[in-house]
Amino acid sequence: MNYKALLILNRYKGGIVGVFLLLFLVTITIYTLLNIPSSERAEWNNPSYWINYPKNAAPFWTNYFMGIFDQKLPEHTIFTMNDAALKNYSEGTDYKIENRTFVYDYDFQTFPPAFSIPYSIQVGEIPPAVEISIKRPDGAAFVIYYNSLESTYTGIESQNRANETEEIQFNDEPLFENQNRTSKDDPTTNIASQRLFSSSREISESLSEYTNSFDFPIRGLPAEKIIFSDTKNNVPLQGKYEFIFSTYSFDDDTKVKDIQWIIEGKVHGLMGTDEFRRDISFGIMIGTPVAMFIGITVAITSTMIGLFYGLISGYKGGRTGGFMVIIIDIFLSVPTMVLFIILSLNYGKSLLFLIGLFILFGWPGLALINRTFSIQIKNYPYVEASKLMGESDFRIVLRHIVPQLIPFTMANFALSVPAAILGEAALSFLGFGDPSFPTWGQMLQDAHFSSAEILGYWWWIIPPGLMIAITSMAFILIGRSLESKAKLDKKR
């Protein structure tokens, strides 16, 4: 690398850093648009889409630091049907039993926050019975659930039972996820699906029968703090657990279609999860194209308006120019944030509406600067000479004035992008953003309303805040470099 290249790198090192940051954002944007379909991005606000994720889980890599103090947090674990060991056997000719056993090696110092068991069964002519039991490392075995699908799924009695069960779910989590029994005569469509939560009443009632197995009172304790507890003290019992899902079927049409054991963890994913079980890294990725769209759309449109409005105002001068300056002053005197909030309250929180507001009030500052430059440039001798030679105003503007305004316009364009992104983030944080679009500002608002800063959920606050800072820094560094180059060229 020669001396001239090193000199250029040193002079514009801020701009080079900004370009690398911009490439990072563009890479995320392209990856998101190509690999995450729009239908999946639209699931951000759909609670059922995230039902298998843990609540408020920290990033997985926090365990590397916790491990130094021998305090690893439980990891979120999902066992699928393929992870289970299947054992079939029959007792007589009347029914058969299928046992699916999941082995879980629990070696953490704290209890898991919860667990859930979603499953689907194709029900034959005679409904089967389901039993869920657990074998613990100390040899104890607990039956935590037993029920006949017939009594659970049909009739008013079962519906009342479902409603009663929902009342004791934490955070309104329904026990019954889905029921699809379109035809009792057609076993292929007679699918019974449900999700059993650790907070369900059935499990609590089943565990209450094991009170004498513990040396401390277990009444009122969550199921996970009983199942995973030592019998002497209410501390986690480490070792291998066997979760056994048994079906008692009475015909050949009954088949287990799907089953999962979900042990909710306190760490999960690259950036953790939020109160609504959503993956923070997913929100960061799908929020990047939205932020880039807002920033670039507002910057391009407001910059073009500011360029030509200021140019015309300065070049025309006289009463026309004076009137145009009054319009600029009116826009500059408006308290934009207050006006945005009032307009959002009265005319909706559409993202396109907000972009329109940012454009409407984003051009006057640039127009005023371009007007000043236009007045100076039109009085230069070579511009006067062009007028004397009979060149049209349109040709003079395009040939002599616009090229000199481009560097500053580009610099202002780069600086307008972070202004628009920060404006949207501020409005979203205050609750005036478009909730249908996942933006970093919306993520910060959700975190604030869930008291994430008080509860210590730092992984919910830092990533969106950091992305806003990175985006702003990228365009600010590029804008400052362009501005410096424009000033340097002007001196030459």
Side-chain angles (χ1 to χ4, degrees):
M1 186 176 294
N2 56 33
Y3 176 76
K4 188 176 180 181
L6 288 173
L7 191 63
I8 293 174
L9 287 175
N10 182 61
R11 182 178 298 162
Y12 301 113
K13 52 182 178 291
I16 293 170
V17 173
V19 168
F20 276 109
L21 293 176
L22 182 59
L23 287 175
F24 168 70
L25 296 168
V26 170
T27 302
I28 295 178
T29 299
I30 294 174
Y31 177 84
T32 301
L33 295 177
L34 293 181
N35 293 280
I36 302 177
S38 57
S39 57
E40 192 172 341
R41 279 177 261 158
E43 300 288 354
W44 175 249
N45 291 321
N46 180 9
S48 62
Y49 183 81
W50 303 100
I51 193 67
N52 287 346
Y53 284 72
K55 275 186 179 181
N56 299 317
F60 76 91
W61 44 265
T62 54
N63 262 350
Y64 294 135
F65 300 98
M66 299 290 289
I68 299 174
F69 306 100
D70 197 24
Q71 292 292 326
K72 289 176 62 178
L73 297 172
E75 297 175 1
H76 189 67
T77 306
I78 300 178
F79 293 104
T80 64
M81 196 161 71
N82 294 331
D83 299 322
L86 177 61
K87 184 179 179 182
N88 290 307
Y89 61 93
S90 302
E91 295 185 0
T93 58
D94 294 336
Y95 67 96
K96 63 180 180 180
I97 302 173
E98 285 185 0
N99 284 342
R100 285 177 169 78
T101 303
F102 303 86
V103 179
Y104 181 46
D105 191 1
Y106 194 78
D107 62 348
F108 303 105
Q109 291 75 32
T110 58
F111 293 106
F115 63 84
S116 62
I117 310 162
Y119 65 88
S120 299
I121 295 179
Q122 178 181 300
V123 180
E125 185 176 354
I126 304 175
V130 172
E131 180 184 272
I132 301 174
S133 58
I134 294 177
K135 288 185 179 180
R136 294 158 35 103
D138 58 1
F142 298 160
V143 176
I144 64 170
Y145 181 77
Y146 180 86
N147 212 336
S148 166
L149 293 185
E150 177 69 17
S151 63
T152 301
Y153 285 104
T154 59
I156 299 174
E157 180 185 353
S158 64
Q159 184 60 48
N160 291 337
R161 187 169 185 170
N163 294 335
E164 290 172 3
T165 309
E166 287 178 1
E167 292 176 359
I168 65 169
Q169 301 300 312
F170 294 150
N171 301 319
D172 299 327
E173 292 169 335
L175 170 65
F176 301 101
E177 184 182 48
N178 183 35
Q179 297 180 36
N180 181 17
R181 303 193 71 182
T182 55
S183 172
K184 192 172 182 178
D185 298 330
D186 184 2
T188 60
T189 60
N190 197 16
I191 305 295
S193 300
Q194 70 171 292
R195 178 182 292 267
L196 190 66
F197 288 93
S198 56
S199 55
S200 71
R201 186 176 59 186
E202 284 84 352
I203 291 181
S204 299
E205 290 177 349
S206 298
L207 287 173
S208 64
E209 298 178 4
Y210 300 98
T211 301
N212 295 331
S213 300
F214 295 87
D215 293 342
F216 56 89
I218 63 172
R219 181 179 175 80
L221 287 177
E224 62 276 7
K225 289 193 175 181
I226 300 174
I227 294 172
F228 291 92
S229 174
D230 188 272
T231 55
K232 303 295 182 184
N233 299 292
N234 191 209
V235 294
L237 175 65
Q238 298 178 349
K240 287 189 177 179
Y241 289 79
E242 291 185 8
F243 305 134
I244 305 166
F245 186 91
S246 304
T247 52
Y248 298 83
S249 56
F250 306 92
D251 54 47
D252 294 333
D253 293 328
T254 298
K255 296 177 183 177
V256 176
K257 304 297 290 183
D258 190 25
I259 179 174
Q260 291 179 323
W261 274 82
I262 301 173
I263 311 297
E264 195 167 311
K266 294 184 178 179
V267 295
H268 179 69
L270 181 63
M271 295 182 183
T273 61
D274 61 17
E275 174 72 17
F276 312 102
R277 303 177 184 273
R278 299 176 301 196
D279 190 337
I280 299 294
S281 59
F282 185 83
I284 292 297
M285 283 196 296
I286 62 176
T288 304
V290 178
M292 296 292 282
F293 173 74
I294 294 171
I296 292 176
T297 301
V298 172
I300 289 177
T301 311
S302 61
T303 299
M304 294 302 292
I305 295 173
L307 169 64
F308 288 103
Y309 190 95
L311 192 154
I312 295 170
S313 171
Y315 188 78
K316 282 290 184 182
R319 290 185 177 180
T320 302
F323 178 75
M324 295 176 76
V325 171
I326 292 174
I327 299 296
I328 293 175
D329 291 340
I330 291 173
F331 273 95
L332 290 176
S333 62
V334 173
T336 53
M337 185 58 73
V338 176
L339 183 66
F340 286 2
I341 292 173
I342 294 172
L343 292 176
S344 297
L345 285 173
N346 289 280
Y347 298 102
K349 301 175 181 178
S350 165
L351 183 63
L352 293 178
F353 180 69
L354 290 179
I355 289 175
L357 288 179
F358 287 129
I359 293 172
L360 183 62
F361 292 92
W363 60 269
L366 178 60
L368 201 59
I369 296 173
N370 283 328
R371 178 180 184 277
T372 304
F373 285 135
S374 298
I375 293 173
Q376 293 177 352
I377 295 170
K378 77 174 184 179
N379 293 320
Y380 287 167
Y382 60 88
V383 176
E384 294 290 344
S386 297
K387 289 181 181 177
L388 293 174
M389 292 173 66
E391 284 194 42
S392 66
D393 290 343
F394 182 74
R395 182 176 174 81
I396 290 172
V397 166
L398 290 184
R399 185 178 178 186
H400 299 297
I401 300 181
V402 170
Q404 299 199 50
L405 296 180
I406 290 298
F408 284 101
T409 302
M410 292 298 295
N412 277 282
F413 162 77
L415 296 175
S416 297
V417 175
I421 293 173
L422 288 171
E424 189 281 331
L427 283 175
S428 295
F429 183 76
L430 294 173
F432 301 103
D434 188 344
S436 60
F437 281 88
T439 65
W440 300 328
Q442 288 286 343
M443 294 177 70
L444 289 173
Q445 188 213 16
D446 291 339
H448 176 67
F449 278 94
S450 298
S451 303
E453 63 273 33
I454 298 174
L455 298 173
Y457 302 148
W458 53 267
W459 56 88
W460 196 358
I461 302 170
I462 292 179
L466 193 61
M467 289 301 291
I468 293 173
I470 288 174
T471 308
S472 300
M473 187 64 68
F475 285 98
I476 286 172
L477 290 174
I478 293 172
R480 293 299 182 200
S481 293
L482 290 173
E483 193 177 45
S484 300
K485 185 177 185 306
K487 289 179 180 177
L488 197 63
D489 292 343
K490 192 175 177 63
K491 288 179 181 178
R492 289 172 181 170

